[in-house]
Amino acid sequence: MGPDRARTGTSGTTWRRTTAAYALVVLAPAVAWLAFVSWADGKPSDHAHVAWFAGVAAACVVAGAVARPRTGHVVGLCTVAVVSTVLTLFAWWSAEDETGLFMVGIVMATPCVAVTAPALLLAGRLVTTGQRTDS
């Protein structure tokens, strides 16, 4: 077995899976915003907000299912998911509120995202437990 195959596993796709998982958690908040919120005239409805959160949550589950099952990747994915989500919320809510009260929402949302992201990523890992051949 060559060094590339030893590093990437038997199929040689684990680095692609890990990259795809990171791309999901980085891009999902912005893509969900574009899909569910950006087109709304004026203030988006509550349904758009729920759809945004559901889209980001679904991306975390998929990222957990796709990612290489190592603790370091889970910690990294959690960190990136939380930062990406909070930055997207900050950009979104700061554009809608000139008073600065959106920061209360950011302060309230950050712990929820920080607790939920790892749970969703681990749920995705559990979905694929036993199905990985190159972990």
PDB file of all heavy atoms in Angstrom, residues 67-83:
ATOM      1  N   ALA A  67     -18.275  13.304   6.855  1.00  0.00           N
ATOM      2  CA  ALA A  67     -16.925  13.560   7.384  1.00  0.00           C
ATOM      3  C   ALA A  67     -16.205  12.293   7.803  1.00  0.00           C
ATOM      4  O   ALA A  67     -16.820  11.293   8.165  1.00  0.00           O
ATOM      5  CB  ALA A  67     -16.991  14.508   8.569  1.00  0.00           C
ATOM      6  N   ARG A  68     -14.913  12.400   7.786  1.00  0.00           N
ATOM      7  CA  ARG A  68     -14.061  11.321   8.269  1.00  0.00           C
ATOM      8  C   ARG A  68     -14.266  11.193   9.779  1.00  0.00           C
ATOM      9  O   ARG A  68     -14.220  12.186  10.497  1.00  0.00           O
ATOM     10  CB  ARG A  68     -12.620  11.693   7.951  1.00  0.00           C
ATOM     11  CG  ARG A  68     -11.663  10.590   8.072  1.00  0.00           C
ATOM     12  CD  ARG A  68     -10.347  11.056   7.510  1.00  0.00           C
ATOM     13  NE  ARG A  68      -9.361  10.015   7.707  1.00  0.00           N
ATOM     14  CZ  ARG A  68      -8.116  10.154   7.387  1.00  0.00           C
ATOM     15  NH1 ARG A  68      -7.685  11.271   6.856  1.00  0.00           N
ATOM     16  NH2 ARG A  68      -7.278   9.172   7.599  1.00  0.00           N
ATOM     17  N   PRO A  69     -14.484   9.991  10.295  1.00  0.00           N
ATOM     18  CA  PRO A  69     -14.860   9.843  11.698  1.00  0.00           C
ATOM     19  C   PRO A  69     -13.666   9.908  12.657  1.00  0.00           C
ATOM     20  O   PRO A  69     -13.274   8.914  13.244  1.00  0.00           O
ATOM     21  CB  PRO A  69     -15.505   8.462  11.729  1.00  0.00           C
ATOM     22  CG  PRO A  69     -14.822   7.715  10.651  1.00  0.00           C
ATOM     23  CD  PRO A  69     -14.521   8.724   9.575  1.00  0.00           C
ATOM     24  N   ARG A  70     -13.131  11.060  12.816  1.00  0.00           N
ATOM     25  CA  ARG A  70     -12.054  11.269  13.783  1.00  0.00           C
ATOM     26  C   ARG A  70     -12.437  12.415  14.687  1.00  0.00           C
ATOM     27  O   ARG A  70     -13.068  13.374  14.256  1.00  0.00           O
ATOM     28  CB  ARG A  70     -10.751  11.596  13.071  1.00  0.00           C
ATOM     29  CG  ARG A  70     -10.255  10.436  12.262  1.00  0.00           C
ATOM     30  CD  ARG A  70      -8.822  10.558  11.995  1.00  0.00           C
ATOM     31  NE  ARG A  70      -8.407   9.383  11.230  1.00  0.00           N
ATOM     32  CZ  ARG A  70      -7.182   9.118  10.947  1.00  0.00           C
ATOM     33  NH1 ARG A  70      -6.235   9.920  11.361  1.00  0.00           N
ATOM     34  NH2 ARG A  70      -6.878   8.052  10.259  1.00  0.00           N
ATOM     35  N   THR A  71     -12.033  12.323  15.931  1.00  0.00           N
ATOM     36  CA  THR A  71     -12.402  13.342  16.916  1.00  0.00           C
ATOM     37  C   THR A  71     -11.941  14.725  16.494  1.00  0.00           C
ATOM     38  O   THR A  71     -12.665  15.703  16.660  1.00  0.00           O
ATOM     39  CB  THR A  71     -11.821  12.972  18.291  1.00  0.00           C
ATOM     40  OG1 THR A  71     -12.286  11.667  18.639  1.00  0.00           O
ATOM     41  CG2 THR A  71     -12.257  13.957  19.355  1.00  0.00           C
ATOM     42  N   GLY A  72     -10.747  14.806  15.937  1.00  0.00           N
ATOM     43  CA  GLY A  72     -10.230  16.107  15.494  1.00  0.00           C
ATOM     44  C   GLY A  72     -11.101  16.742  14.433  1.00  0.00           C
ATOM     45  O   GLY A  72     -11.313  17.955  14.435  1.00  0.00           O
ATOM     46  N   HIS A  73     -11.633  15.921  13.538  1.00  0.00           N
ATOM     47  CA  HIS A  73     -12.514  16.456  12.504  1.00  0.00           C
ATOM     48  C   HIS A  73     -13.844  16.905  13.093  1.00  0.00           C
ATOM     49  O   HIS A  73     -14.389  17.920  12.668  1.00  0.00           O
ATOM     50  CB  HIS A  73     -12.762  15.418  11.408  1.00  0.00           C
ATOM     51  CG  HIS A  73     -11.575  15.171  10.552  1.00  0.00           C
ATOM     52  ND1 HIS A  73     -10.996  16.136   9.768  1.00  0.00           N
ATOM     53  CD2 HIS A  73     -10.838  14.062  10.366  1.00  0.00           C
ATOM     54  CE1 HIS A  73      -9.960  15.637   9.136  1.00  0.00           C
ATOM     55  NE2 HIS A  73      -9.834  14.374   9.484  1.00  0.00           N
ATOM     56  N   VAL A  74     -14.350  16.179  14.054  1.00  0.00           N
ATOM     57  CA  VAL A  74     -15.620  16.567  14.676  1.00  0.00           C
ATOM     58  C   VAL A  74     -15.454  17.899  15.405  1.00  0.00           C
ATOM     59  O   VAL A  74     -16.289  18.793  15.273  1.00  0.00           O
ATOM     60  CB  VAL A  74     -16.137  15.468  15.623  1.00  0.00           C
ATOM     61  CG1 VAL A  74     -17.357  15.945  16.384  1.00  0.00           C
ATOM     62  CG2 VAL A  74     -16.461  14.204  14.849  1.00  0.00           C
ATOM     63  N   VAL A  75     -14.370  18.045  16.142  1.00  0.00           N
ATOM     64  CA  VAL A  75     -14.117  19.309  16.856  1.00  0.00           C
ATOM     65  C   VAL A  75     -13.944  20.445  15.856  1.00  0.00           C
ATOM     66  O   VAL A  75     -14.508  21.527  16.022  1.00  0.00           O
ATOM     67  CB  VAL A  75     -12.882  19.171  17.783  1.00  0.00           C
ATOM     68  CG1 VAL A  75     -12.487  20.512  18.354  1.00  0.00           C
ATOM     69  CG2 VAL A  75     -13.163  18.172  18.888  1.00  0.00           C
ATOM     70  N   GLY A  76     -13.181  20.198  14.806  1.00  0.00           N
ATOM     71  CA  GLY A  76     -12.980  21.225  13.782  1.00  0.00           C
ATOM     72  C   GLY A  76     -14.274  21.593  13.087  1.00  0.00           C
ATOM     73  O   GLY A  76     -14.562  22.778  12.879  1.00  0.00           O
ATOM     74  N   LEU A  77     -15.053  20.595  12.722  1.00  0.00           N
ATOM     75  CA  LEU A  77     -16.341  20.859  12.074  1.00  0.00           C
ATOM     76  C   LEU A  77     -17.284  21.629  12.986  1.00  0.00           C
ATOM     77  O   LEU A  77     -17.990  22.534  12.535  1.00  0.00           O
ATOM     78  CB  LEU A  77     -16.997  19.553  11.629  1.00  0.00           C
ATOM     79  CG  LEU A  77     -16.435  18.919  10.363  1.00  0.00           C
ATOM     80  CD1 LEU A  77     -16.978  17.511  10.203  1.00  0.00           C
ATOM     81  CD2 LEU A  77     -16.766  19.754   9.153  1.00  0.00           C
ATOM     82  N   CYS A  78     -17.309  21.267  14.265  1.00  0.00           N
ATOM     83  CA  CYS A  78     -18.159  21.989  15.225  1.00  0.00           C
ATOM     84  C   CYS A  78     -17.760  23.454  15.306  1.00  0.00           C
ATOM     85  O   CYS A  78     -18.610  24.346  15.259  1.00  0.00           O
ATOM     86  CB  CYS A  78     -18.068  21.352  16.604  1.00  0.00           C
ATOM     87  SG  CYS A  78     -18.852  19.752  16.731  1.00  0.00           S
ATOM     88  N   THR A  79     -16.477  23.688  15.424  1.00  0.00           N
ATOM     89  CA  THR A  79     -15.982  25.061  15.524  1.00  0.00           C
ATOM     90  C   THR A  79     -16.325  25.857  14.280  1.00  0.00           C
ATOM     91  O   THR A  79     -16.840  26.980  14.361  1.00  0.00           O
ATOM     92  CB  THR A  79     -14.458  25.060  15.756  1.00  0.00           C
ATOM     93  OG1 THR A  79     -14.174  24.295  16.922  1.00  0.00           O
ATOM     94  CG2 THR A  79     -13.915  26.452  15.907  1.00  0.00           C
ATOM     95  N   VAL A  80     -16.062  25.286  13.118  1.00  0.00           N
ATOM     96  CA  VAL A  80     -16.339  25.975  11.861  1.00  0.00           C
ATOM     97  C   VAL A  80     -17.839  26.198  11.687  1.00  0.00           C
ATOM     98  O   VAL A  80     -18.269  27.266  11.248  1.00  0.00           O
ATOM     99  CB  VAL A  80     -15.740  25.187  10.674  1.00  0.00           C
ATOM    100  CG1 VAL A  80     -16.203  25.743   9.348  1.00  0.00           C
ATOM    101  CG2 VAL A  80     -14.222  25.198  10.756  1.00  0.00           C
ATOM    102  N   ALA A  81     -18.652  25.208  12.050  1.00  0.00           N
ATOM    103  CA  ALA A  81     -20.104  25.343  11.924  1.00  0.00           C
ATOM    104  C   ALA A  81     -20.634  26.477  12.798  1.00  0.00           C
ATOM    105  O   ALA A  81     -21.458  27.283  12.357  1.00  0.00           O
ATOM    106  CB  ALA A  81     -20.794  24.034  12.279  1.00  0.00           C
ATOM    107  N   VAL A  82     -20.174  26.540  14.027  1.00  0.00           N
ATOM    108  CA  VAL A  82     -20.641  27.592  14.941  1.00  0.00           C
ATOM    109  C   VAL A  82     -20.217  28.961  14.435  1.00  0.00           C
ATOM    110  O   VAL A  82     -21.033  29.892  14.363  1.00  0.00           O
ATOM    111  CB  VAL A  82     -20.128  27.334  16.378  1.00  0.00           C
ATOM    112  CG1 VAL A  82     -20.395  28.526  17.274  1.00  0.00           C
ATOM    113  CG2 VAL A  82     -20.771  26.082  16.948  1.00  0.00           C
ATOM    114  N   VAL A  83     -18.964  29.108  14.068  1.00  0.00           N
ATOM    115  CA  VAL A  83     -18.460  30.405  13.599  1.00  0.00           C
ATOM    116  C   VAL A  83     -19.179  30.834  12.329  1.00  0.00           C
ATOM    117  O   VAL A  83     -19.626  31.983  12.211  1.00  0.00           O
ATOM    118  CB  VAL A  83     -16.929  30.353  13.397  1.00  0.00           C
ATOM    119  CG1 VAL A  83     -16.424  31.587  12.669  1.00  0.00           C
ATOM    120  CG2 VAL A  83     -16.218  30.183  14.729  1.00  0.00           C
TER     121      VAL A  83
END
